[in-house]
Amino acid sequence: MARSSFYSWLAGEQARAARRAADDALAQEITVLHIASRCTYGVPRIHAELRRLDRRVNRKRVERIMRERDIAGVTRRKCRSLAFGLFQPRREPSSSSIAY
């Protein structure tokens, strides 16, 4: 490793520590919003709430912080009716579609 690379990395330690502290503060805000939503809000809604509170932060940063701290929203799945096929009359294949 080049000596200049080491000293460049060493000089950036304060910036990394400041970013870690800012991420921890943001994680606290995200946790409060997540609990206030009864643990249902995911990244898009948390990001929208932060913007509504005049906290401008990148969506990808919110996503990373939530992923690192295992904060996840609830995914609502689309309901599928299993009975739909039971009440439809079954169509017989036409004679033109059958290969002889």
Side-chain angles (χ1 to χ4, degrees):
M1 175 189 277
R3 185 177 296 177
S4 62
S5 299
F6 170 74
Y7 284 110
S8 175
W9 172 79
L10 195 62
E13 182 61 34
Q14 288 179 341
R16 284 190 296 276
R19 193 173 304 116
R20 251 189 318 269
D23 283 350
D24 289 339
L26 183 60
Q28 184 66 31
E29 288 183 54
I30 289 172
T31 304
V32 168
L33 289 172
H34 187 69
I35 291 172
S37 72
R38 294 178 288 169
C39 299
T40 57
Y41 281 8
V43 174
R45 286 184 175 176
I46 293 287
H47 180 253
E49 283 292 318
L50 288 170
R51 287 192 58 111
R52 193 179 62 76
L53 296 172
D54 291 332
R55 180 75 195 263
R56 295 194 53 143
V57 63
N58 192 341
R59 179 192 52 81
K60 293 178 187 178
R61 185 177 182 192
V62 173
E63 184 176 349
R64 177 180 53 83
I65 290 172
M66 287 179 70
R67 184 177 58 243
E68 288 173 353
R69 288 162 174 80
D70 294 326
I71 302 171
V74 174
T75 303
R76 293 193 180 106
R77 295 182 184 233
K78 194 173 179 182
C79 292
R80 284 188 359 184
S81 175
L82 298 176
F84 180 77
L86 296 176
F87 301 111
Q88 295 293 324
R90 191 169 186 174
R91 293 187 316 174
E92 294 298 323
S94 64
S95 61
S96 62
S97 65
I98 298 176
Y100 291 103

